[in-house]
Amino acid sequence: MAADETPPFRVVVLVSGDGSTLQALLDACSDPAYGVLVVAVGADRDGILALKRAESAGVPTFVSRPAEFDSRDDWDRAFAALVAEHRPDLVVSAGFMRLVGSDFLDRFGGRFINTHPALLPAFPGMHGARDALAHGVKVTGATVFLVDEGVDTGPVLAQRAVEVHDTDDESSLHERIKQVERAMLVDVVGRMAHAGWTVTGRKVTIP
Ligand code: GAR
């Protein structure tokens, strides 16, 4: 690295599924001007497309299955240690369907973000798109937020709205949300990398 070059902003991405959100970040990172490096991708299960996407991009992966530990706390400690090995500036949960515990938050609280397919605090949990549709709302969307000890309760970094169509089913609505979500996450991570962020109570500011 030349003396005048800033080291890239190191991101560990956590996944449990297809990894289309991870792919959007990997694609953005291929432009050096984005200033972000995905240094590792971690998962709670094997055999998922997200891990294949990471491997195709030449990004190191690690997997830690909660079922292989005596307790959730043991898994949490081990998983946090695996993430820490990669010295992230930011940890991004991108379709990671697992709640972390106090060890993880002690290490990464304030620099651990998640993306959710609804306008929080509406429709938290595993099925944001399904729950919005079932409720009959006309507008839903996506939220990027800082993870705290609650379920999708942390301070909000960004939100974008998505209209619900009369013809939508869960899959069509979720796919439209995900398109917006990917672009928003890429934008937020890029701005955090370049400008940093401050948290005052529930208010997060990226200058
Ligand atoms: C995204 O819509 C993300 O918000 C959601 O999983 C999807 C991941 O898709 N996460 C949650 O619902 C977390 N509560 P992907 O695997 O294609 O990136």
Side-chain angles (χ1 to χ4, degrees), residues 16-22 50 53 94-97 114-117 125-128 152 174 177-178 181-182:
S16 298
D18 283 354
S20 67
T21 320
L22 163 69
R53 291 180 192 269
F96 183 63
M97 296 304 198
N114 191 9
T115 173
H116 182 74
M126 302 281 279
H127 305 291
D152 300 331
H174 195 180
I177 292 170
K178 282 171 73 167
E181 199 177 5
R182 292 176 200 127

PDB file of all heavy atoms in Angstrom, residues 16-22 50 53 94-97 114-117 125-128 152 174 177-178 181-182, ligand 1:
ATOM      1  N   SER A  16     -27.362 -16.348   5.874  1.00  0.00           N
ATOM      2  CA  SER A  16     -27.987 -17.655   6.137  1.00  0.00           C
ATOM      3  C   SER A  16     -28.660 -18.228   4.896  1.00  0.00           C
ATOM      4  O   SER A  16     -29.199 -19.335   4.966  1.00  0.00           O
ATOM      5  CB  SER A  16     -29.077 -17.533   7.216  1.00  0.00           C
ATOM      6  OG  SER A  16     -28.572 -17.112   8.444  1.00  0.00           O
ATOM      7  N   GLY A  17     -28.699 -17.473   3.780  1.00  0.00           N
ATOM      8  CA  GLY A  17     -29.540 -17.921   2.663  1.00  0.00           C
ATOM      9  C   GLY A  17     -28.913 -17.709   1.304  1.00  0.00           C
ATOM     10  O   GLY A  17     -27.768 -18.060   1.054  1.00  0.00           O
ATOM     11  N   ASP A  18     -29.683 -17.075   0.431  1.00  0.00           N
ATOM     12  CA  ASP A  18     -29.256 -16.943  -0.972  1.00  0.00           C
ATOM     13  C   ASP A  18     -28.121 -15.939  -1.161  1.00  0.00           C
ATOM     14  O   ASP A  18     -27.353 -16.039  -2.112  1.00  0.00           O
ATOM     15  CB  ASP A  18     -30.444 -16.501  -1.834  1.00  0.00           C
ATOM     16  CG  ASP A  18     -31.381 -17.661  -2.102  1.00  0.00           C
ATOM     17  OD1 ASP A  18     -31.042 -18.802  -1.717  1.00  0.00           O
ATOM     18  OD2 ASP A  18     -32.461 -17.428  -2.678  1.00  0.00           O
ATOM     19  N   GLY A  19     -28.074 -14.915  -0.338  1.00  0.00           N
ATOM     20  CA  GLY A  19     -26.969 -13.973  -0.421  1.00  0.00           C
ATOM     21  C   GLY A  19     -27.053 -12.982  -1.573  1.00  0.00           C
ATOM     22  O   GLY A  19     -26.026 -12.464  -2.019  1.00  0.00           O
ATOM     23  N   SER A  20     -28.273 -12.649  -2.022  1.00  0.00           N
ATOM     24  CA  SER A  20     -28.357 -11.627  -3.084  1.00  0.00           C
ATOM     25  C   SER A  20     -27.921 -10.264  -2.535  1.00  0.00           C
ATOM     26  O   SER A  20     -27.371  -9.434  -3.269  1.00  0.00           O
ATOM     27  CB  SER A  20     -29.769 -11.555  -3.671  1.00  0.00           C
ATOM     28  OG  SER A  20     -30.689 -11.069  -2.727  1.00  0.00           O
ATOM     29  N   THR A  21     -28.139 -10.048  -1.254  1.00  0.00           N
ATOM     30  CA  THR A  21     -27.708  -8.788  -0.631  1.00  0.00           C
ATOM     31  C   THR A  21     -26.188  -8.760  -0.519  1.00  0.00           C
ATOM     32  O   THR A  21     -25.549  -7.742  -0.812  1.00  0.00           O
ATOM     33  CB  THR A  21     -28.354  -8.650   0.763  1.00  0.00           C
ATOM     34  OG1 THR A  21     -29.702  -9.113   0.698  1.00  0.00           O
ATOM     35  CG2 THR A  21     -28.322  -7.235   1.256  1.00  0.00           C
ATOM     36  N   LEU A  22     -25.615  -9.879  -0.106  1.00  0.00           N
ATOM     37  CA  LEU A  22     -24.153 -10.009  -0.090  1.00  0.00           C
ATOM     38  C   LEU A  22     -23.592  -9.738  -1.477  1.00  0.00           C
ATOM     39  O   LEU A  22     -22.592  -9.015  -1.627  1.00  0.00           O
ATOM     40  CB  LEU A  22     -23.776 -11.431   0.352  1.00  0.00           C
ATOM     41  CG  LEU A  22     -22.337 -11.864   0.048  1.00  0.00           C
ATOM     42  CD1 LEU A  22     -21.350 -11.084   0.908  1.00  0.00           C
ATOM     43  CD2 LEU A  22     -22.166 -13.371   0.249  1.00  0.00           C
ATOM     44  N   ALA A  50     -25.268 -18.261  -0.602  1.00  0.00           N
ATOM     45  CA  ALA A  50     -24.458 -17.106  -0.166  1.00  0.00           C
ATOM     46  C   ALA A  50     -22.990 -17.493  -0.005  1.00  0.00           C
ATOM     47  O   ALA A  50     -22.095 -16.720  -0.372  1.00  0.00           O
ATOM     48  CB  ALA A  50     -25.011 -16.553   1.150  1.00  0.00           C
ATOM     49  N   ARG A  53     -21.389 -17.759  -3.364  1.00  0.00           N
ATOM     50  CA  ARG A  53     -21.127 -16.413  -3.926  1.00  0.00           C
ATOM     51  C   ARG A  53     -19.818 -15.857  -3.360  1.00  0.00           C
ATOM     52  O   ARG A  53     -19.015 -15.276  -4.082  1.00  0.00           O
ATOM     53  CB  ARG A  53     -22.267 -15.456  -3.575  1.00  0.00           C
ATOM     54  CG  ARG A  53     -23.593 -15.746  -4.254  1.00  0.00           C
ATOM     55  CD  ARG A  53     -24.587 -14.685  -3.786  1.00  0.00           C
ATOM     56  NE  ARG A  53     -25.965 -14.942  -4.116  1.00  0.00           N
ATOM     57  CZ  ARG A  53     -26.583 -14.538  -5.219  1.00  0.00           C
ATOM     58  NH1 ARG A  53     -25.918 -13.886  -6.142  1.00  0.00           N
ATOM     59  NH2 ARG A  53     -27.866 -14.780  -5.412  1.00  0.00           N
ATOM     60  N   ALA A  94     -26.706  -9.729   6.570  1.00  0.00           N
ATOM     61  CA  ALA A  94     -27.403  -9.601   5.282  1.00  0.00           C
ATOM     62  C   ALA A  94     -28.178 -10.892   5.043  1.00  0.00           C
ATOM     63  O   ALA A  94     -27.707 -11.801   4.365  1.00  0.00           O
ATOM     64  CB  ALA A  94     -26.393  -9.342   4.164  1.00  0.00           C
ATOM     65  N   GLY A  95     -29.363 -10.966   5.654  1.00  0.00           N
ATOM     66  CA  GLY A  95     -30.129 -12.202   5.564  1.00  0.00           C
ATOM     67  C   GLY A  95     -29.592 -13.256   6.512  1.00  0.00           C
ATOM     68  O   GLY A  95     -29.719 -14.454   6.250  1.00  0.00           O
ATOM     69  N   PHE A  96     -29.009 -12.822   7.633  1.00  0.00           N
ATOM     70  CA  PHE A  96     -28.520 -13.742   8.671  1.00  0.00           C
ATOM     71  C   PHE A  96     -29.674 -13.959   9.641  1.00  0.00           C
ATOM     72  O   PHE A  96     -30.087 -13.022  10.328  1.00  0.00           O
ATOM     73  CB  PHE A  96     -27.310 -13.115   9.366  1.00  0.00           C
ATOM     74  CG  PHE A  96     -26.660 -13.988  10.398  1.00  0.00           C
ATOM     75  CD1 PHE A  96     -26.077 -15.189  10.040  1.00  0.00           C
ATOM     76  CD2 PHE A  96     -26.604 -13.588  11.724  1.00  0.00           C
ATOM     77  CE1 PHE A  96     -25.449 -15.986  10.994  1.00  0.00           C
ATOM     78  CE2 PHE A  96     -25.974 -14.377  12.683  1.00  0.00           C
ATOM     79  CZ  PHE A  96     -25.398 -15.579  12.308  1.00  0.00           C
ATOM     80  N   MET A  97     -30.236 -15.166   9.665  1.00  0.00           N
ATOM     81  CA  MET A  97     -31.486 -15.416  10.379  1.00  0.00           C
ATOM     82  C   MET A  97     -31.231 -15.949  11.786  1.00  0.00           C
ATOM     83  O   MET A  97     -31.729 -16.999  12.176  1.00  0.00           O
ATOM     84  CB  MET A  97     -32.343 -16.394   9.575  1.00  0.00           C
ATOM     85  CG  MET A  97     -32.768 -15.826   8.249  1.00  0.00           C
ATOM     86  SD  MET A  97     -33.659 -14.256   8.464  1.00  0.00           S
ATOM     87  CE  MET A  97     -34.486 -14.101   6.891  1.00  0.00           C
ATOM     88  N   ASN A 114     -27.891  -4.382  10.439  1.00  0.00           N
ATOM     89  CA  ASN A 114     -28.753  -5.414   9.852  1.00  0.00           C
ATOM     90  C   ASN A 114     -29.668  -4.752   8.839  1.00  0.00           C
ATOM     91  O   ASN A 114     -29.950  -3.549   8.937  1.00  0.00           O
ATOM     92  CB  ASN A 114     -29.591  -6.067  10.960  1.00  0.00           C
ATOM     93  CG  ASN A 114     -30.318  -7.322  10.495  1.00  0.00           C
ATOM     94  OD1 ASN A 114     -30.083  -7.834   9.391  1.00  0.00           O
ATOM     95  ND2 ASN A 114     -31.209  -7.819  11.343  1.00  0.00           N
ATOM     96  N   THR A 115     -30.111  -5.542   7.873  1.00  0.00           N
ATOM     97  CA  THR A 115     -31.095  -5.035   6.928  1.00  0.00           C
ATOM     98  C   THR A 115     -32.353  -5.883   7.049  1.00  0.00           C
ATOM     99  O   THR A 115     -32.281  -7.098   7.208  1.00  0.00           O
ATOM    100  CB  THR A 115     -30.530  -5.024   5.486  1.00  0.00           C
ATOM    101  OG1 THR A 115     -31.571  -4.685   4.591  1.00  0.00           O
ATOM    102  CG2 THR A 115     -29.925  -6.349   5.082  1.00  0.00           C
ATOM    103  N   HIS A 116     -33.495  -5.206   7.012  1.00  0.00           N
ATOM    104  CA  HIS A 116     -34.766  -5.893   7.291  1.00  0.00           C
ATOM    105  C   HIS A 116     -35.802  -5.492   6.242  1.00  0.00           C
ATOM    106  O   HIS A 116     -35.919  -4.307   5.903  1.00  0.00           O
ATOM    107  CB  HIS A 116     -35.253  -5.499   8.702  1.00  0.00           C
ATOM    108  CG  HIS A 116     -36.522  -6.190   9.069  1.00  0.00           C
ATOM    109  ND1 HIS A 116     -36.573  -7.525   9.399  1.00  0.00           N
ATOM    110  CD2 HIS A 116     -37.805  -5.738   9.123  1.00  0.00           C
ATOM    111  CE1 HIS A 116     -37.826  -7.857   9.653  1.00  0.00           C
ATOM    112  NE2 HIS A 116     -38.590  -6.789   9.492  1.00  0.00           N
ATOM    113  N   PRO A 117     -36.607  -6.450   5.755  1.00  0.00           N
ATOM    114  CA  PRO A 117     -37.559  -6.144   4.684  1.00  0.00           C
ATOM    115  C   PRO A 117     -38.898  -5.599   5.175  1.00  0.00           C
ATOM    116  O   PRO A 117     -39.952  -6.146   4.859  1.00  0.00           O
ATOM    117  CB  PRO A 117     -37.720  -7.500   3.980  1.00  0.00           C
ATOM    118  CG  PRO A 117     -37.565  -8.489   5.085  1.00  0.00           C
ATOM    119  CD  PRO A 117     -36.563  -7.897   6.047  1.00  0.00           C
ATOM    120  N   GLY A 125     -38.937  -9.264  12.875  1.00  0.00           N
ATOM    121  CA  GLY A 125     -38.905 -10.730  12.916  1.00  0.00           C
ATOM    122  C   GLY A 125     -38.509 -11.351  11.588  1.00  0.00           C
ATOM    123  O   GLY A 125     -37.928 -10.715  10.722  1.00  0.00           O
ATOM    124  N   MET A 126     -38.873 -12.610  11.445  1.00  0.00           N
ATOM    125  CA  MET A 126     -38.368 -13.422  10.332  1.00  0.00           C
ATOM    126  C   MET A 126     -39.111 -13.189   9.022  1.00  0.00           C
ATOM    127  O   MET A 126     -38.625 -13.568   7.959  1.00  0.00           O
ATOM    128  CB  MET A 126     -38.517 -14.913  10.685  1.00  0.00           C
ATOM    129  CG  MET A 126     -37.803 -15.327  11.932  1.00  0.00           C
ATOM    130  SD  MET A 126     -36.063 -15.548  11.608  1.00  0.00           S
ATOM    131  CE  MET A 126     -36.063 -17.184  10.913  1.00  0.00           C
ATOM    132  N   HIS A 127     -40.340 -12.614   9.077  1.00  0.00           N
ATOM    133  CA  HIS A 127     -41.181 -12.588   7.876  1.00  0.00           C
ATOM    134  C   HIS A 127     -41.743 -11.186   7.624  1.00  0.00           C
ATOM    135  O   HIS A 127     -42.954 -10.993   7.574  1.00  0.00           O
ATOM    136  CB  HIS A 127     -42.332 -13.595   8.027  1.00  0.00           C
ATOM    137  CG  HIS A 127     -41.871 -14.979   8.342  1.00  0.00           C
ATOM    138  ND1 HIS A 127     -41.196 -15.763   7.430  1.00  0.00           N
ATOM    139  CD2 HIS A 127     -41.921 -15.712   9.488  1.00  0.00           C
ATOM    140  CE1 HIS A 127     -40.876 -16.915   7.986  1.00  0.00           C
ATOM    141  NE2 HIS A 127     -41.304 -16.909   9.241  1.00  0.00           N
ATOM    142  N   GLY A 128     -40.834 -10.225   7.449  1.00  0.00           N
ATOM    143  CA  GLY A 128     -41.261  -8.835   7.304  1.00  0.00           C
ATOM    144  C   GLY A 128     -42.227  -8.622   6.153  1.00  0.00           C
ATOM    145  O   GLY A 128     -43.246  -7.934   6.296  1.00  0.00           O
ATOM    146  N   ASP A 152     -34.839  -6.587  16.104  1.00  0.00           N
ATOM    147  CA  ASP A 152     -35.057  -5.529  15.108  1.00  0.00           C
ATOM    148  C   ASP A 152     -35.482  -4.205  15.752  1.00  0.00           C
ATOM    149  O   ASP A 152     -36.344  -3.493  15.226  1.00  0.00           O
ATOM    150  CB  ASP A 152     -36.101  -5.984  14.059  1.00  0.00           C
ATOM    151  CG  ASP A 152     -35.661  -7.238  13.323  1.00  0.00           C
ATOM    152  OD1 ASP A 152     -34.444  -7.453  13.176  1.00  0.00           O
ATOM    153  OD2 ASP A 152     -36.538  -8.000  12.878  1.00  0.00           O
ATOM    154  N   HIS A 174     -41.586  -9.349  -1.580  1.00  0.00           N
ATOM    155  CA  HIS A 174     -40.246  -9.437  -0.981  1.00  0.00           C
ATOM    156  C   HIS A 174     -39.181  -9.154  -2.035  1.00  0.00           C
ATOM    157  O   HIS A 174     -38.192  -8.466  -1.763  1.00  0.00           O
ATOM    158  CB  HIS A 174     -40.037 -10.810  -0.333  1.00  0.00           C
ATOM    159  CG  HIS A 174     -38.867 -10.850   0.599  1.00  0.00           C
ATOM    160  ND1 HIS A 174     -38.485 -11.965   1.287  1.00  0.00           N
ATOM    161  CD2 HIS A 174     -37.960  -9.890   0.957  1.00  0.00           C
ATOM    162  CE1 HIS A 174     -37.414 -11.708   2.017  1.00  0.00           C
ATOM    163  NE2 HIS A 174     -37.072 -10.460   1.827  1.00  0.00           N
ATOM    164  N   ILE A 177     -38.968  -5.469  -2.553  1.00  0.00           N
ATOM    165  CA  ILE A 177     -38.300  -4.861  -1.394  1.00  0.00           C
ATOM    166  C   ILE A 177     -36.795  -5.108  -1.473  1.00  0.00           C
ATOM    167  O   ILE A 177     -35.977  -4.207  -1.228  1.00  0.00           O
ATOM    168  CB  ILE A 177     -38.863  -5.445  -0.071  1.00  0.00           C
ATOM    169  CG1 ILE A 177     -40.312  -5.011   0.135  1.00  0.00           C
ATOM    170  CG2 ILE A 177     -38.006  -5.005   1.117  1.00  0.00           C
ATOM    171  CD1 ILE A 177     -41.013  -5.727   1.286  1.00  0.00           C
ATOM    172  N   LYS A 178     -36.426  -6.333  -1.832  1.00  0.00           N
ATOM    173  CA  LYS A 178     -35.001  -6.676  -1.856  1.00  0.00           C
ATOM    174  C   LYS A 178     -34.217  -5.837  -2.868  1.00  0.00           C
ATOM    175  O   LYS A 178     -33.049  -5.504  -2.634  1.00  0.00           O
ATOM    176  CB  LYS A 178     -34.819  -8.177  -2.118  1.00  0.00           C
ATOM    177  CG  LYS A 178     -35.082  -9.007  -0.863  1.00  0.00           C
ATOM    178  CD  LYS A 178     -35.129 -10.498  -1.128  1.00  0.00           C
ATOM    179  CE  LYS A 178     -33.766 -11.069  -1.392  1.00  0.00           C
ATOM    180  NZ  LYS A 178     -33.792 -12.565  -1.349  1.00  0.00           N
ATOM    181  N   GLU A 181     -33.650  -2.715  -1.089  1.00  0.00           N
ATOM    182  CA  GLU A 181     -32.827  -3.007   0.089  1.00  0.00           C
ATOM    183  C   GLU A 181     -31.343  -3.112  -0.284  1.00  0.00           C
ATOM    184  O   GLU A 181     -30.474  -2.584   0.415  1.00  0.00           O
ATOM    185  CB  GLU A 181     -33.339  -4.343   0.640  1.00  0.00           C
ATOM    186  CG  GLU A 181     -32.982  -4.655   2.047  1.00  0.00           C
ATOM    187  CD  GLU A 181     -33.620  -5.986   2.490  1.00  0.00           C
ATOM    188  OE1 GLU A 181     -34.258  -6.697   1.673  1.00  0.00           O
ATOM    189  OE2 GLU A 181     -33.465  -6.295   3.671  1.00  0.00           O
ATOM    190  N   ARG A 182     -31.075  -3.798  -1.396  1.00  0.00           N
ATOM    191  CA  ARG A 182     -29.669  -3.977  -1.816  1.00  0.00           C
ATOM    192  C   ARG A 182     -29.028  -2.623  -2.092  1.00  0.00           C
ATOM    193  O   ARG A 182     -27.917  -2.341  -1.636  1.00  0.00           O
ATOM    194  CB  ARG A 182     -29.604  -4.834  -3.089  1.00  0.00           C
ATOM    195  CG  ARG A 182     -30.007  -6.252  -2.891  1.00  0.00           C
ATOM    196  CD  ARG A 182     -30.009  -6.986  -4.240  1.00  0.00           C
ATOM    197  NE  ARG A 182     -30.823  -8.170  -4.150  1.00  0.00           N
ATOM    198  CZ  ARG A 182     -31.830  -8.479  -4.975  1.00  0.00           C
ATOM    199  NH1 ARG A 182     -32.138  -7.715  -5.997  1.00  0.00           N
ATOM    200  NH2 ARG A 182     -32.532  -9.568  -4.785  1.00  0.00           N
TER     201      ARG A 182
HETATM  202  C1  GAR B   1     -33.420  -9.817   2.926  1.00  0.00           C
HETATM  203  O1  GAR B   1     -34.664  -9.343   2.489  1.00  0.00           O
HETATM  204  C2  GAR B   1     -33.208  -9.443   4.381  1.00  0.00           C
HETATM  205  O2  GAR B   1     -33.754  -8.227   4.741  1.00  0.00           O
HETATM  206  C3  GAR B   1     -33.946 -10.555   5.061  1.00  0.00           C
HETATM  207  O3  GAR B   1     -33.545 -11.691   4.369  1.00  0.00           O
HETATM  208  C4  GAR B   1     -33.370 -11.336   3.000  1.00  0.00           C
HETATM  209  C5  GAR B   1     -32.041 -11.880   2.559  1.00  0.00           C
HETATM  210  O4  GAR B   1     -31.999 -12.150   1.207  1.00  0.00           O
HETATM  211  N1  GAR B   1     -33.619 -10.566   6.454  1.00  0.00           N
HETATM  212  C6  GAR B   1     -34.517 -10.689   7.423  1.00  0.00           C
HETATM  213  O5  GAR B   1     -35.693 -10.886   7.210  1.00  0.00           O
HETATM  214  C7  GAR B   1     -33.952 -10.582   8.812  1.00  0.00           C
HETATM  215  N2  GAR B   1     -34.996 -10.376   9.761  1.00  0.00           N
HETATM  216  P1  GAR B   1     -30.652 -12.683   0.526  1.00  0.00           P
HETATM  217  O6  GAR B   1     -30.257 -13.976   1.238  1.00  0.00           O
HETATM  218  O7  GAR B   1     -31.012 -12.913  -0.912  1.00  0.00           O
HETATM  219  O8  GAR B   1     -29.626 -11.611   0.698  1.00  0.00           O
END
